[in-house]
Amino acid sequence: MKTMRLTAIREMAMDDIPPPEPPRNKDVLLSVRAVGVCGSDVHYYTTGRIGSQVVEFPFTVGHECAAVVEAVGAGVKTLKPGDRVAVDPAVSCHTACDQCLAGRPHTCRTLKFLGCPGQLDGCLSDYLVMPEASLFKIPDHMTLEEAALIEPLSIGIYAVNRSVPMAGATVGILGSGPIGLSVMLAARWKGAAAIYTTDRLDYRCHVASGQGAVWAGNPDTTDIVSAICEREPLLLDVVFECCGQQEALDQAARLVKPGGKVMLIGIPQFDRYTFPADIARRHEIHLQNVRRQNDCVQEAIDLVADGRIDPGFMVTHRFPFAKSKAAFDLVDQYADGVIKAMIDL
């Protein structure tokens, strides 16, 4: 089968490798059809690492995908060949560790994740084997491209669910890439009264405004704290940091009201954050990290299937499998108004 591998920093190459073995027990053989390019994939492409997770070349990345079932193991009960599925890229033990038993499979002690060095090869391949528990059948009217967007959308839903009661809430979203926009879609659906967004790319501010933000600003040209505080003098109930930047965390601390929550979602390319101790202490700010998603894939599928959330606007560019490197370069350079690049296999 064909697989697209990272071969060096900013280098990718198509390779021929043996196809997977026939699936056993509760495993499922998938024909991958659509792969979304995520910012974390691009981190591996441009730097070869995220924190302590370091690529050993060659390595296949990619974790946002949709696929068609090719074959199933003898123990699979819910899927059959021909079914179309959204893929949760996390593989957890589900029953053998304290985290899974506590309802936290996303922090499973033996968690393995698609396209994560030292864990699992990614999904930029013709075929992929995943356990039944990671696969979610999609309805006939849902496209495979929409199914590939379920992974980032489920992160946005999980982050909103973990934050504050959303009905009537005032919300800040710092960073309007696919994750920030996914947070916005979830917050809007769950009843946020006002959503304020930021991004250093003006075109993403325009997109956020078109999708329901009451205000969007570029922190490079606007004092966003002053601008938002002028509109919300009591400050915001919750601020989602979605870009992995120290400056955004500083802004979040000044924007959230006493007793409010700051949600950390963005993946930084540095090792340590700082946080203003005086503001955090006096305002009793809650700081909540968000680790991917937990039990929100089906909710995301249902919301898209019913038309209550439509994430399709995020797909701005499409590439054939052989042009995967061009897709990664586009996303890395924030070129041509890109939000989400989708690779079709």
Side-chain angles (χ1 to χ4, degrees):
M1 69 175 183
K2 299 290 186 183
T3 187
M4 185 67 72
R5 287 173 159 173
L6 303 184
T7 55
I9 299 297
R10 297 184 185 275
E11 293 295 336
M12 303 178 78
M14 189 80 81
D15 200 2
D16 286 299
I17 63 171
E21 297 289 329
R24 299 179 180 179
N25 195 17
K26 294 187 177 182
D27 284 344
V28 177
L29 176 64
L30 303 171
S31 173
V32 180
R33 300 298 176 85
V35 176
V37 179
C38 175
S40 62
D41 301 327
V42 175
H43 286 339
Y44 291 131
Y45 175 65
T46 59
T47 69
R49 63 179 294 173
I50 295 177
S52 61
Q53 296 165 329
V54 181
V55 173
E56 292 187 11
F57 301 108
F59 182 67
T60 302
V61 293
H63 63 272
E64 299 178 5
C65 67
V68 175
V69 174
E70 289 287 316
V72 300
V76 173
K77 304 299 184 184
T78 62
L79 296 169
K80 64 183 185 303
D83 285 343
R84 302 177 314 136
V85 294
V87 178
D88 179 349
V91 177
S92 308
C93 74
H94 292 291
T95 59
C97 79
D98 63 321
Q99 294 296 293
C100 286
L101 292 174
R104 296 182 54 87
H106 63 313
T107 54
C108 173
R109 298 291 185 177
T110 59
L111 183 75
K112 295 183 178 179
F113 198 82
L114 285 181
C116 190
Q119 297 181 25
L120 296 173
D121 281 347
C123 58
L124 268 175
S125 295
D126 286 332
Y127 298 99
L128 177 69
V129 172
M130 290 293 285
E132 179 184 19
S134 292
L135 305 176
F136 294 77
K137 186 177 178 180
I138 61 172
D140 292 342
H141 65 275
M142 181 181 287
T143 69
L144 287 163
E145 189 172 271
E146 288 173 328
L149 291 171
I150 292 298
E151 197 272 342
L153 180 60
S154 67
I155 294 172
I157 292 171
Y158 174 62
V160 168
N161 289 349
R162 288 284 286 162
S163 62
V164 300
M166 198 52 52
T170 52
V171 175
I173 300 173
L174 310 183
S176 299
I179 294 299
L181 292 170
S182 293
V183 170
M184 188 180 74
L185 290 174
R188 189 182 67 185
W189 163 247
K190 291 176 182 288
I195 301 173
Y196 298 84
T197 64
T198 70
D199 203 275
R200 283 179 162 161
L201 300 171
D202 287 333
Y203 74 84
R204 292 189 173 184
C205 292
H206 294 316
V207 169
S209 293
Q211 292 296 321
V214 298
W215 183 91
N218 185 331
D220 289 337
T221 57
T222 302
D223 183 339
I224 66 160
V225 173
S226 294
I228 294 174
C229 289
E230 181 179 347
R231 292 163 174 82
E232 297 287 347
L234 297 181
L235 305 180
L236 305 177
D237 294 302
V238 60
V239 178
F240 297 86
E241 193 286 308
C242 298
C243 56
Q245 299 293 322
Q246 177 61 53
E247 179 186 0
L249 185 55
D250 294 338
Q251 293 161 351
R254 296 166 61 198
L255 285 168
V256 71
K257 66 174 53 173
K261 248 185 176 180
V262 174
M263 307 294 293
L264 285 175
I265 311 174
I267 299 176
Q269 295 193 45
F270 47 86
D271 293 330
R272 289 182 181 272
Y273 278 121
T274 64
F275 201 73
D278 183 54
I279 296 176
R281 178 182 59 81
R282 289 187 297 106
H283 287 189
E284 199 179 54
I285 292 173
H286 299 260
L287 189 64
Q288 172 75 57
N289 281 279
V290 175
R291 178 62 169 165
R292 297 172 179 151
Q293 67 89 16
N294 185 19
D295 197 28
C296 292
V297 173
Q298 190 60 57
E299 182 179 0
I301 290 172
D302 293 343
L303 288 170
V304 173
D306 294 345
R308 290 172 286 175
I309 286 181
D310 181 5
F313 71 91
M314 288 194 277
V315 180
T316 54
H317 296 75
R318 297 169 178 85
F319 293 83
F321 191 18
K323 299 292 185 180
S324 295
K325 186 179 187 303
F328 275 64
D329 285 334
L330 181 82
V331 176
D332 171 45
Q333 296 160 14
Y334 301 101
D336 195 35
V338 67
I339 295 176
K340 175 66 68 179
M342 192 69 66
I343 298 170
D344 298 317
L345 282 74

